[in-house]
Amino acid sequence: MKVVDHPNAKLMEAVYAAFTVGDVQKAASYWTKDCVHYYPGTSELSGAHEGIESALAFAGRMFEICQGRITMEIHEIGASDSFAFATVFTRYEREGKSLEMPFVNVARIQDGLIAEFWTYPEDQYAVDQFWA
């Protein structure tokens, strides 16, 4: 994994370090209270999850559906003074199905915390089918 030596890259690194081991509360501590997580598609998980409680519920539901079987391999993290990104290879498992693919996540950083977060999968159709 390559991480740029920038505070916003370090922030993303900390978020993934917590999230990849299922510590959603720790990961949420790096987000603003009025954050928005945009998750694309047409599934029950899709939409703009506004506020930290909604973002936490989204992450919790994802882990619940997968019974904790989510793995992420962080390939690269980069940042500027206002944004950070991560390229991530993700594997989800549920009910005998699995989904493996690269994602790109982009975060807008405000006062050292994530204010907005966008998720972009390689294959949106496959993601919608998986969560259906």
Side-chain angles (χ1 to χ4, degrees):
M1 168 177 52
K2 181 178 180 182
V3 177
V4 174
D5 190 24
H6 187 285
N8 290 340
K10 298 296 184 188
L11 172 67
M12 288 290 272
E13 184 179 36
V15 168
Y16 285 110
F19 191 79
T20 56
V21 296
D23 192 347
V24 175
Q25 292 292 329
K26 176 79 171 171
S29 72
Y30 301 111
W31 294 56
T32 64
K33 298 293 180 211
D34 61 348
C35 65
V36 182
H37 182 179
Y38 302 97
Y39 195 81
T42 59
S43 75
E44 71 172 274
L45 295 174
S46 300
H49 304 280
E50 299 181 25
I52 195 65
E53 293 305 319
S54 180
L56 278 169
F58 162 80
R61 182 69 179 133
M62 186 178 276
F63 273 95
E64 177 186 340
I65 291 170
C66 291
Q67 298 177 320
R69 294 184 311 256
I70 298 173
T71 57
M72 294 180 173
E73 180 182 322
I74 312 308
H75 286 210
E76 189 166 7
I77 295 175
S80 69
D81 290 339
S82 301
F83 287 89
F85 76 87
T87 57
V88 182
F89 189 85
T90 303
R91 178 180 174 88
Y92 301 117
E93 295 180 59
R94 70 178 287 207
E95 302 169 356
K97 299 190 291 186
S98 66
L99 175 72
E100 297 181 39
M101 76 173 57
F103 283 74
V104 174
N105 295 316
V106 178
R108 183 177 65 80
I109 313 300
Q110 176 182 312
D111 300 324
L113 297 171
I114 296 172
E116 291 181 282
F117 192 89
W118 295 267
T119 299
Y120 299 103
E122 176 184 66
D123 182 345
Q124 184 61 59
Y125 179 78
V127 171
D128 287 338
Q129 289 294 106
F130 177 79
W131 294 121

